[in-house]
Structures are given as C-alpha cells and as structure tokens.
Amino acid sequence: MKATKRLITSIWTVEYEIVEQGKVRVLNYSRTDAEGYQRENELPQCELRETDERIVTHLYIKPFKQGEWVTQENATEVYEVINPQFIFSYSEQ
C-alpha cells in the first residue's frame, strides 16, 4: 500500500504493509517514487510520526484533500510501525 505527503514541490511516498490490526511495516519512504507523483490525488495522504531522534513510531493516514495536512487529530487510520528506524533509512531498503 502507498500514501503520499507533499512538501513544497516534492512528493514523499511511503510504501507499507499492514501486518495486523493497528500495525504496519514500512517498506520504503522516498521522494523519487514515480507512482506517488502520478497518483498523488488518488492515494491517501500520510504523516510519519517521529521521535526527537527522527525514529519513526507511527503512520497516520487520511483520504486525499488538496491543501490539507495529516495530523493525529484528523487521521482516519493510525498505525504503530513495527520496524522503527531513522526516517531516511527506509529509502535504502
């Protein structure tokens, strides 16, 4: 599954798999995923919650809405990340 986050002119795409209720494994997080750019309006929006050390702990998801950010309050799905890593380590997998 994929979801996107727009930052200025870049679209960051997270690829993940649901492993059980309320838990996901992050497979990739990249701003070079062509599908994220092509299907931004179709894919859900996301936010990766990080610790102060930039370790990802949760994934927040909501349906796409132009100009709106995903927050803990407006997320329609919240998942615990079962493979927490430094946020930019996922793009090396």
Side-chain angles (χ1 to χ4, degrees):
M1 302 180 81
K2 291 186 178 183
T4 64
K5 177 179 180 172
R6 177 176 282 276
L7 290 175
I8 307 172
T9 60
S10 295
I11 298 175
W12 286 85
T13 303
V14 63
E15 184 174 3
Y16 62 97
E17 66 178 341
I18 299 172
V19 295
E20 62 182 82
Q21 185 172 353
K23 296 186 180 194
V24 297
R25 175 179 291 110
V26 175
L27 305 173
N28 191 34
Y29 185 58
S30 168
R31 65 179 176 170
T32 59
D33 186 315
E35 185 177 11
Y37 286 90
Q38 295 164 354
R39 298 186 55 220
E40 177 189 14
N41 295 347
E42 300 169 30
L43 294 171
Q45 292 171 301
C46 68
E47 176 69 26
L48 290 171
R49 176 64 73 201
E50 309 167 49
T51 66
D52 290 340
E53 293 80 28
R54 311 264 352 236
I55 304 298
V56 176
T57 62
H58 290 83
L59 172 64
Y60 300 143
I61 301 282
K62 73 171 205 54
F64 178 83
K65 185 172 180 184
Q66 187 72 37
E68 190 174 291
W69 296 86
V70 181
T71 64
Q72 187 173 2
E73 292 76 29
N74 71 6
T76 57
E77 301 172 53
V78 177
Y79 298 100
E80 178 184 348
V81 174
I82 67 161
N83 60 332
Q85 296 181 42
F86 182 71
I87 189 159
F88 298 118
S89 295
Y90 295 109
S91 62
E92 298 171 0
Q93 295 183 2

PDB file of all heavy atoms in Angstrom, residues 2-4 16 40-47 59-79:
ATOM      1  N   LYS A   2       0.369   2.324  -0.528  1.00  0.00           N
ATOM      2  CA  LYS A   2       1.139   3.563  -0.583  1.00  0.00           C
ATOM      3  C   LYS A   2       0.286   4.740  -0.148  1.00  0.00           C
ATOM      4  O   LYS A   2      -0.942   4.725  -0.284  1.00  0.00           O
ATOM      5  CB  LYS A   2       1.649   3.818  -2.004  1.00  0.00           C
ATOM      6  CG  LYS A   2       2.714   2.838  -2.442  1.00  0.00           C
ATOM      7  CD  LYS A   2       3.288   3.224  -3.785  1.00  0.00           C
ATOM      8  CE  LYS A   2       4.396   2.243  -4.187  1.00  0.00           C
ATOM      9  NZ  LYS A   2       5.021   2.631  -5.453  1.00  0.00           N
ATOM     10  N   ALA A   3       0.976   5.759   0.350  1.00  0.00           N
ATOM     11  CA  ALA A   3       0.358   7.027   0.708  1.00  0.00           C
ATOM     12  C   ALA A   3       1.406   8.105   0.478  1.00  0.00           C
ATOM     13  O   ALA A   3       2.607   7.816   0.424  1.00  0.00           O
ATOM     14  CB  ALA A   3      -0.107   7.024   2.162  1.00  0.00           C
ATOM     15  N   THR A   4       0.967   9.357   0.335  1.00  0.00           N
ATOM     16  CA  THR A   4       1.899  10.432  -0.007  1.00  0.00           C
ATOM     17  C   THR A   4       1.812  11.611   0.957  1.00  0.00           C
ATOM     18  O   THR A   4       0.825  11.793   1.658  1.00  0.00           O
ATOM     19  CB  THR A   4       1.635  10.966  -1.430  1.00  0.00           C
ATOM     20  OG1 THR A   4       0.335  11.551  -1.474  1.00  0.00           O
ATOM     21  CG2 THR A   4       1.764   9.878  -2.475  1.00  0.00           C
ATOM     22  N   TYR A  16       3.968   0.694   2.514  1.00  0.00           N
ATOM     23  CA  TYR A  16       3.853  -0.040   3.769  1.00  0.00           C
ATOM     24  C   TYR A  16       2.946  -1.238   3.591  1.00  0.00           C
ATOM     25  O   TYR A  16       2.187  -1.328   2.618  1.00  0.00           O
ATOM     26  CB  TYR A  16       3.297   0.876   4.865  1.00  0.00           C
ATOM     27  CG  TYR A  16       1.910   1.408   4.577  1.00  0.00           C
ATOM     28  CD1 TYR A  16       0.787   0.790   5.117  1.00  0.00           C
ATOM     29  CD2 TYR A  16       1.720   2.512   3.756  1.00  0.00           C
ATOM     30  CE1 TYR A  16      -0.492   1.272   4.856  1.00  0.00           C
ATOM     31  CE2 TYR A  16       0.449   2.997   3.472  1.00  0.00           C
ATOM     32  CZ  TYR A  16      -0.641   2.378   4.027  1.00  0.00           C
ATOM     33  OH  TYR A  16      -1.916   2.838   3.748  1.00  0.00           O
ATOM     34  N   GLU A  40      -0.855  11.092  -6.872  1.00  0.00           N
ATOM     35  CA  GLU A  40      -0.991  11.826  -5.609  1.00  0.00           C
ATOM     36  C   GLU A  40      -2.447  12.059  -5.224  1.00  0.00           C
ATOM     37  O   GLU A  40      -2.829  11.877  -4.069  1.00  0.00           O
ATOM     38  CB  GLU A  40      -0.259  13.159  -5.685  1.00  0.00           C
ATOM     39  CG  GLU A  40      -0.433  13.988  -4.425  1.00  0.00           C
ATOM     40  CD  GLU A  40       0.087  15.410  -4.549  1.00  0.00           C
ATOM     41  OE1 GLU A  40       0.352  15.870  -5.671  1.00  0.00           O
ATOM     42  OE2 GLU A  40       0.220  16.065  -3.500  1.00  0.00           O
ATOM     43  N   ASN A  41      -3.284  12.461  -6.182  1.00  0.00           N
ATOM     44  CA  ASN A  41      -4.690  12.775  -5.881  1.00  0.00           C
ATOM     45  C   ASN A  41      -5.536  11.538  -5.604  1.00  0.00           C
ATOM     46  O   ASN A  41      -6.640  11.657  -5.093  1.00  0.00           O
ATOM     47  CB  ASN A  41      -5.319  13.561  -7.026  1.00  0.00           C
ATOM     48  CG  ASN A  41      -4.678  14.916  -7.205  1.00  0.00           C
ATOM     49  OD1 ASN A  41      -3.934  15.390  -6.353  1.00  0.00           O
ATOM     50  ND2 ASN A  41      -4.945  15.548  -8.331  1.00  0.00           N
ATOM     51  N   GLU A  42      -5.032  10.361  -5.959  1.00  0.00           N
ATOM     52  CA  GLU A  42      -5.772   9.117  -5.748  1.00  0.00           C
ATOM     53  C   GLU A  42      -5.349   8.407  -4.462  1.00  0.00           C
ATOM     54  O   GLU A  42      -6.155   7.711  -3.844  1.00  0.00           O
ATOM     55  CB  GLU A  42      -5.525   8.151  -6.911  1.00  0.00           C
ATOM     56  CG  GLU A  42      -5.938   8.678  -8.259  1.00  0.00           C
ATOM     57  CD  GLU A  42      -5.415   7.796  -9.385  1.00  0.00           C
ATOM     58  OE1 GLU A  42      -5.253   6.577  -9.171  1.00  0.00           O
ATOM     59  OE2 GLU A  42      -5.162   8.333 -10.473  1.00  0.00           O
ATOM     60  N   LEU A  43      -4.090   8.549  -4.109  1.00  0.00           N
ATOM     61  CA  LEU A  43      -3.562   7.859  -2.928  1.00  0.00           C
ATOM     62  C   LEU A  43      -3.918   8.628  -1.658  1.00  0.00           C
ATOM     63  O   LEU A  43      -4.077   9.847  -1.699  1.00  0.00           O
ATOM     64  CB  LEU A  43      -2.039   7.728  -3.035  1.00  0.00           C
ATOM     65  CG  LEU A  43      -1.527   6.837  -4.167  1.00  0.00           C
ATOM     66  CD1 LEU A  43      -0.009   6.968  -4.292  1.00  0.00           C
ATOM     67  CD2 LEU A  43      -1.923   5.395  -3.926  1.00  0.00           C
ATOM     68  N   PRO A  44      -4.014   7.946  -0.531  1.00  0.00           N
ATOM     69  CA  PRO A  44      -4.242   8.662   0.722  1.00  0.00           C
ATOM     70  C   PRO A  44      -3.028   9.520   1.089  1.00  0.00           C
ATOM     71  O   PRO A  44      -1.932   9.312   0.565  1.00  0.00           O
ATOM     72  CB  PRO A  44      -4.460   7.547   1.744  1.00  0.00           C
ATOM     73  CG  PRO A  44      -4.011   6.298   1.112  1.00  0.00           C
ATOM     74  CD  PRO A  44      -3.942   6.508  -0.358  1.00  0.00           C
ATOM     75  N   GLN A  45      -3.258  10.457   1.965  1.00  0.00           N
ATOM     76  CA  GLN A  45      -2.168  11.289   2.485  1.00  0.00           C
ATOM     77  C   GLN A  45      -1.641  10.661   3.762  1.00  0.00           C
ATOM     78  O   GLN A  45      -2.363   9.955   4.470  1.00  0.00           O
ATOM     79  CB  GLN A  45      -2.667  12.704   2.759  1.00  0.00           C
ATOM     80  CG  GLN A  45      -3.019  13.447   1.484  1.00  0.00           C
ATOM     81  CD  GLN A  45      -3.705  14.756   1.777  1.00  0.00           C
ATOM     82  OE1 GLN A  45      -4.743  14.776   2.413  1.00  0.00           O
ATOM     83  NE2 GLN A  45      -3.130  15.842   1.305  1.00  0.00           N
ATOM     84  N   CYS A  46      -0.373  10.959   4.082  1.00  0.00           N
ATOM     85  CA  CYS A  46       0.233  10.331   5.252  1.00  0.00           C
ATOM     86  C   CYS A  46       1.092  11.310   6.038  1.00  0.00           C
ATOM     87  O   CYS A  46       1.488  12.368   5.547  1.00  0.00           O
ATOM     88  CB  CYS A  46       1.083   9.138   4.835  1.00  0.00           C
ATOM     89  SG  CYS A  46       2.564   9.583   3.916  1.00  0.00           S
ATOM     90  N   GLU A  47       1.376  10.900   7.239  1.00  0.00           N
ATOM     91  CA  GLU A  47       2.331  11.575   8.114  1.00  0.00           C
ATOM     92  C   GLU A  47       3.033  10.490   8.906  1.00  0.00           C
ATOM     93  O   GLU A  47       2.372   9.620   9.488  1.00  0.00           O
ATOM     94  CB  GLU A  47       1.617  12.542   9.060  1.00  0.00           C
ATOM     95  CG  GLU A  47       2.502  13.204  10.068  1.00  0.00           C
ATOM     96  CD  GLU A  47       3.471  14.214   9.458  1.00  0.00           C
ATOM     97  OE1 GLU A  47       3.186  14.776   8.384  1.00  0.00           O
ATOM     98  OE2 GLU A  47       4.519  14.444  10.075  1.00  0.00           O
ATOM     99  N   LEU A  59       2.370   5.737  11.806  1.00  0.00           N
ATOM    100  CA  LEU A  59       1.951   6.196  10.487  1.00  0.00           C
ATOM    101  C   LEU A  59       0.502   6.648  10.593  1.00  0.00           C
ATOM    102  O   LEU A  59      -0.359   5.886  11.036  1.00  0.00           O
ATOM    103  CB  LEU A  59       2.079   5.049   9.467  1.00  0.00           C
ATOM    104  CG  LEU A  59       1.513   5.303   8.074  1.00  0.00           C
ATOM    105  CD1 LEU A  59       2.271   6.426   7.364  1.00  0.00           C
ATOM    106  CD2 LEU A  59       1.547   4.024   7.245  1.00  0.00           C
ATOM    107  N   TYR A  60       0.251   7.900  10.208  1.00  0.00           N
ATOM    108  CA  TYR A  60      -1.101   8.458  10.187  1.00  0.00           C
ATOM    109  C   TYR A  60      -1.542   8.556   8.731  1.00  0.00           C
ATOM    110  O   TYR A  60      -0.780   9.009   7.875  1.00  0.00           O
ATOM    111  CB  TYR A  60      -1.146   9.853  10.810  1.00  0.00           C
ATOM    112  CG  TYR A  60      -0.716   9.916  12.246  1.00  0.00           C
ATOM    113  CD1 TYR A  60       0.011  10.999  12.723  1.00  0.00           C
ATOM    114  CD2 TYR A  60      -1.035   8.912  13.146  1.00  0.00           C
ATOM    115  CE1 TYR A  60       0.406  11.068  14.045  1.00  0.00           C
ATOM    116  CE2 TYR A  60      -0.636   8.982  14.476  1.00  0.00           C
ATOM    117  CZ  TYR A  60       0.073  10.066  14.917  1.00  0.00           C
ATOM    118  OH  TYR A  60       0.462  10.131  16.226  1.00  0.00           O
ATOM    119  N   ILE A  61      -2.776   8.159   8.453  1.00  0.00           N
ATOM    120  CA  ILE A  61      -3.323   8.127   7.098  1.00  0.00           C
ATOM    121  C   ILE A  61      -4.681   8.818   7.087  1.00  0.00           C
ATOM    122  O   ILE A  61      -5.451   8.700   8.047  1.00  0.00           O
ATOM    123  CB  ILE A  61      -3.528   6.664   6.631  1.00  0.00           C
ATOM    124  CG1 ILE A  61      -2.223   5.886   6.660  1.00  0.00           C
ATOM    125  CG2 ILE A  61      -4.198   6.600   5.265  1.00  0.00           C
ATOM    126  CD1 ILE A  61      -1.294   6.142   5.537  1.00  0.00           C
ATOM    127  N   LYS A  62      -4.968   9.503   5.986  1.00  0.00           N
ATOM    128  CA  LYS A  62      -6.311  10.034   5.746  1.00  0.00           C
ATOM    129  C   LYS A  62      -6.525  10.154   4.245  1.00  0.00           C
ATOM    130  O   LYS A  62      -5.564  10.210   3.485  1.00  0.00           O
ATOM    131  CB  LYS A  62      -6.523  11.373   6.439  1.00  0.00           C
ATOM    132  CG  LYS A  62      -5.814  12.539   5.805  1.00  0.00           C
ATOM    133  CD  LYS A  62      -6.259  13.831   6.442  1.00  0.00           C
ATOM    134  CE  LYS A  62      -6.090  15.020   5.541  1.00  0.00           C
ATOM    135  NZ  LYS A  62      -6.694  14.933   4.233  1.00  0.00           N
ATOM    136  N   PRO A  63      -7.769  10.202   3.796  1.00  0.00           N
ATOM    137  CA  PRO A  63      -8.027  10.380   2.371  1.00  0.00           C
ATOM    138  C   PRO A  63      -7.454  11.699   1.858  1.00  0.00           C
ATOM    139  O   PRO A  63      -7.338  12.677   2.601  1.00  0.00           O
ATOM    140  CB  PRO A  63      -9.554  10.382   2.280  1.00  0.00           C
ATOM    141  CG  PRO A  63     -10.013   9.678   3.509  1.00  0.00           C
ATOM    142  CD  PRO A  63      -8.993  10.016   4.567  1.00  0.00           C
ATOM    143  N   PHE A  64      -7.109  11.730   0.577  1.00  0.00           N
ATOM    144  CA  PHE A  64      -6.521  12.924  -0.034  1.00  0.00           C
ATOM    145  C   PHE A  64      -7.498  14.095   0.006  1.00  0.00           C
ATOM    146  O   PHE A  64      -8.678  13.948  -0.303  1.00  0.00           O
ATOM    147  CB  PHE A  64      -6.144  12.646  -1.499  1.00  0.00           C
ATOM    148  CG  PHE A  64      -5.579  13.848  -2.190  1.00  0.00           C
ATOM    149  CD1 PHE A  64      -4.241  14.157  -2.053  1.00  0.00           C
ATOM    150  CD2 PHE A  64      -6.387  14.670  -2.946  1.00  0.00           C
ATOM    151  CE1 PHE A  64      -3.704  15.278  -2.679  1.00  0.00           C
ATOM    152  CE2 PHE A  64      -5.867  15.791  -3.576  1.00  0.00           C
ATOM    153  CZ  PHE A  64      -4.526  16.095  -3.437  1.00  0.00           C
ATOM    154  N   LYS A  65      -6.980  15.250   0.394  1.00  0.00           N
ATOM    155  CA  LYS A  65      -7.716  16.510   0.301  1.00  0.00           C
ATOM    156  C   LYS A  65      -6.688  17.599   0.035  1.00  0.00           C
ATOM    157  O   LYS A  65      -5.803  17.849   0.869  1.00  0.00           O
ATOM    158  CB  LYS A  65      -8.497  16.808   1.563  1.00  0.00           C
ATOM    159  CG  LYS A  65      -9.353  18.058   1.420  1.00  0.00           C
ATOM    160  CD  LYS A  65     -10.276  18.274   2.589  1.00  0.00           C
ATOM    161  CE  LYS A  65     -11.092  19.524   2.361  1.00  0.00           C
ATOM    162  NZ  LYS A  65     -11.933  19.824   3.509  1.00  0.00           N
ATOM    163  N   GLN A  66      -6.771  18.218  -1.126  1.00  0.00           N
ATOM    164  CA  GLN A  66      -5.820  19.237  -1.557  1.00  0.00           C
ATOM    165  C   GLN A  66      -5.626  20.303  -0.482  1.00  0.00           C
ATOM    166  O   GLN A  66      -6.596  20.824   0.071  1.00  0.00           O
ATOM    167  CB  GLN A  66      -6.321  19.900  -2.851  1.00  0.00           C
ATOM    168  CG  GLN A  66      -5.345  20.851  -3.472  1.00  0.00           C
ATOM    169  CD  GLN A  66      -4.169  20.139  -4.115  1.00  0.00           C
ATOM    170  OE1 GLN A  66      -4.325  19.076  -4.702  1.00  0.00           O
ATOM    171  NE2 GLN A  66      -3.002  20.702  -3.995  1.00  0.00           N
ATOM    172  N   GLY A  67      -4.361  20.599  -0.179  1.00  0.00           N
ATOM    173  CA  GLY A  67      -4.034  21.678   0.739  1.00  0.00           C
ATOM    174  C   GLY A  67      -4.214  21.361   2.210  1.00  0.00           C
ATOM    175  O   GLY A  67      -4.129  22.247   3.045  1.00  0.00           O
ATOM    176  N   GLU A  68      -4.477  20.112   2.548  1.00  0.00           N
ATOM    177  CA  GLU A  68      -4.691  19.748   3.945  1.00  0.00           C
ATOM    178  C   GLU A  68      -3.614  18.778   4.404  1.00  0.00           C
ATOM    179  O   GLU A  68      -3.272  17.843   3.687  1.00  0.00           O
ATOM    180  CB  GLU A  68      -6.074  19.105   4.100  1.00  0.00           C
ATOM    181  CG  GLU A  68      -6.481  18.903   5.541  1.00  0.00           C
ATOM    182  CD  GLU A  68      -7.908  18.401   5.651  1.00  0.00           C
ATOM    183  OE1 GLU A  68      -8.822  19.179   5.338  1.00  0.00           O
ATOM    184  OE2 GLU A  68      -8.090  17.231   6.038  1.00  0.00           O
ATOM    185  N   TRP A  69      -3.064  18.992   5.584  1.00  0.00           N
ATOM    186  CA  TRP A  69      -2.047  18.120   6.162  1.00  0.00           C
ATOM    187  C   TRP A  69      -2.694  17.045   7.006  1.00  0.00           C
ATOM    188  O   TRP A  69      -3.782  17.227   7.521  1.00  0.00           O
ATOM    189  CB  TRP A  69      -1.108  18.940   7.056  1.00  0.00           C
ATOM    190  CG  TRP A  69      -0.336  19.968   6.323  1.00  0.00           C
ATOM    191  CD1 TRP A  69      -0.745  21.249   6.020  1.00  0.00           C
ATOM    192  CD2 TRP A  69       0.965  19.833   5.776  1.00  0.00           C
ATOM    193  NE1 TRP A  69       0.242  21.900   5.325  1.00  0.00           N
ATOM    194  CE2 TRP A  69       1.304  21.058   5.171  1.00  0.00           C
ATOM    195  CE3 TRP A  69       1.886  18.800   5.748  1.00  0.00           C
ATOM    196  CZ2 TRP A  69       2.525  21.269   4.538  1.00  0.00           C
ATOM    197  CZ3 TRP A  69       3.103  19.005   5.121  1.00  0.00           C
ATOM    198  CH2 TRP A  69       3.408  20.224   4.525  1.00  0.00           C
ATOM    199  N   VAL A  70      -1.998  15.956   7.188  1.00  0.00           N
ATOM    200  CA  VAL A  70      -2.466  14.893   8.087  1.00  0.00           C
ATOM    201  C   VAL A  70      -1.950  15.196   9.486  1.00  0.00           C
ATOM    202  O   VAL A  70      -0.770  15.486   9.668  1.00  0.00           O
ATOM    203  CB  VAL A  70      -1.943  13.510   7.648  1.00  0.00           C
ATOM    204  CG1 VAL A  70      -2.460  12.441   8.596  1.00  0.00           C
ATOM    205  CG2 VAL A  70      -2.338  13.205   6.228  1.00  0.00           C
ATOM    206  N   THR A  71      -2.826  15.128  10.449  1.00  0.00           N
ATOM    207  CA  THR A  71      -2.450  15.310  11.848  1.00  0.00           C
ATOM    208  C   THR A  71      -2.997  14.131  12.645  1.00  0.00           C
ATOM    209  O   THR A  71      -3.825  13.362  12.149  1.00  0.00           O
ATOM    210  CB  THR A  71      -3.040  16.607  12.431  1.00  0.00           C
ATOM    211  OG1 THR A  71      -4.476  16.491  12.436  1.00  0.00           O
ATOM    212  CG2 THR A  71      -2.627  17.836  11.625  1.00  0.00           C
ATOM    213  N   GLN A  72      -2.567  14.026  13.866  1.00  0.00           N
ATOM    214  CA  GLN A  72      -3.092  12.972  14.733  1.00  0.00           C
ATOM    215  C   GLN A  72      -4.602  13.138  14.903  1.00  0.00           C
ATOM    216  O   GLN A  72      -5.331  12.160  14.983  1.00  0.00           O
ATOM    217  CB  GLN A  72      -2.391  13.024  16.087  1.00  0.00           C
ATOM    218  CG  GLN A  72      -2.747  11.881  16.997  1.00  0.00           C
ATOM    219  CD  GLN A  72      -1.919  11.868  18.270  1.00  0.00           C
ATOM    220  OE1 GLN A  72      -1.084  12.743  18.499  1.00  0.00           O
ATOM    221  NE2 GLN A  72      -2.141  10.881  19.103  1.00  0.00           N
ATOM    222  N   GLU A  73      -5.073  14.367  14.908  1.00  0.00           N
ATOM    223  CA  GLU A  73      -6.489  14.643  15.132  1.00  0.00           C
ATOM    224  C   GLU A  73      -7.363  14.313  13.929  1.00  0.00           C
ATOM    225  O   GLU A  73      -8.507  13.909  14.085  1.00  0.00           O
ATOM    226  CB  GLU A  73      -6.687  16.116  15.524  1.00  0.00           C
ATOM    227  CG  GLU A  73      -6.128  16.477  16.886  1.00  0.00           C
ATOM    228  CD  GLU A  73      -4.602  16.615  16.893  1.00  0.00           C
ATOM    229  OE1 GLU A  73      -4.010  16.966  15.850  1.00  0.00           O
ATOM    230  OE2 GLU A  73      -3.999  16.353  17.946  1.00  0.00           O
ATOM    231  N   ASN A  74      -6.862  14.512  12.692  1.00  0.00           N
ATOM    232  CA  ASN A  74      -7.723  14.278  11.534  1.00  0.00           C
ATOM    233  C   ASN A  74      -7.425  12.967  10.805  1.00  0.00           C
ATOM    234  O   ASN A  74      -8.055  12.666   9.797  1.00  0.00           O
ATOM    235  CB  ASN A  74      -7.695  15.464  10.561  1.00  0.00           C
ATOM    236  CG  ASN A  74      -6.386  15.607   9.807  1.00  0.00           C
ATOM    237  OD1 ASN A  74      -5.485  14.774   9.883  1.00  0.00           O
ATOM    238  ND2 ASN A  74      -6.265  16.696   9.068  1.00  0.00           N
ATOM    239  N   ALA A  75      -6.470  12.191  11.301  1.00  0.00           N
ATOM    240  CA  ALA A  75      -6.149  10.906  10.677  1.00  0.00           C
ATOM    241  C   ALA A  75      -7.337   9.960  10.797  1.00  0.00           C
ATOM    242  O   ALA A  75      -7.985   9.890  11.838  1.00  0.00           O
ATOM    243  CB  ALA A  75      -4.919  10.288  11.330  1.00  0.00           C
ATOM    244  N   THR A  76      -7.610   9.237   9.729  1.00  0.00           N
ATOM    245  CA  THR A  76      -8.680   8.252   9.757  1.00  0.00           C
ATOM    246  C   THR A  76      -8.151   6.858  10.101  1.00  0.00           C
ATOM    247  O   THR A  76      -8.923   5.976  10.461  1.00  0.00           O
ATOM    248  CB  THR A  76      -9.425   8.202   8.409  1.00  0.00           C
ATOM    249  OG1 THR A  76      -8.488   7.926   7.373  1.00  0.00           O
ATOM    250  CG2 THR A  76     -10.128   9.528   8.134  1.00  0.00           C
ATOM    251  N   GLU A  77      -6.824   6.688   9.963  1.00  0.00           N
ATOM    252  CA  GLU A  77      -6.168   5.437  10.327  1.00  0.00           C
ATOM    253  C   GLU A  77      -4.862   5.771  11.041  1.00  0.00           C
ATOM    254  O   GLU A  77      -4.137   6.662  10.619  1.00  0.00           O
ATOM    255  CB  GLU A  77      -5.833   4.605   9.087  1.00  0.00           C
ATOM    256  CG  GLU A  77      -7.039   4.241   8.243  1.00  0.00           C
ATOM    257  CD  GLU A  77      -6.635   3.603   6.938  1.00  0.00           C
ATOM    258  OE1 GLU A  77      -5.863   2.619   6.971  1.00  0.00           O
ATOM    259  OE2 GLU A  77      -7.078   4.092   5.884  1.00  0.00           O
ATOM    260  N   VAL A  78      -4.586   5.076  12.119  1.00  0.00           N
ATOM    261  CA  VAL A  78      -3.340   5.265  12.864  1.00  0.00           C
ATOM    262  C   VAL A  78      -2.722   3.891  13.076  1.00  0.00           C
ATOM    263  O   VAL A  78      -3.399   2.965  13.537  1.00  0.00           O
ATOM    264  CB  VAL A  78      -3.590   5.942  14.236  1.00  0.00           C
ATOM    265  CG1 VAL A  78      -2.291   6.064  15.014  1.00  0.00           C
ATOM    266  CG2 VAL A  78      -4.245   7.307  14.049  1.00  0.00           C
ATOM    267  N   TYR A  79      -1.440   3.778  12.707  1.00  0.00           N
ATOM    268  CA  TYR A  79      -0.740   2.507  12.830  1.00  0.00           C
ATOM    269  C   TYR A  79       0.552   2.669  13.613  1.00  0.00           C
ATOM    270  O   TYR A  79       1.264   3.657  13.440  1.00  0.00           O
ATOM    271  CB  TYR A  79      -0.370   1.961  11.444  1.00  0.00           C
ATOM    272  CG  TYR A  79      -1.555   1.664  10.569  1.00  0.00           C
ATOM    273  CD1 TYR A  79      -1.951   2.553   9.578  1.00  0.00           C
ATOM    274  CD2 TYR A  79      -2.278   0.494  10.737  1.00  0.00           C
ATOM    275  CE1 TYR A  79      -3.034   2.278   8.760  1.00  0.00           C
ATOM    276  CE2 TYR A  79      -3.371   0.205   9.924  1.00  0.00           C
ATOM    277  CZ  TYR A  79      -3.738   1.107   8.932  1.00  0.00           C
ATOM    278  OH  TYR A  79      -4.810   0.829   8.138  1.00  0.00           O
TER     279      TYR A  79
END
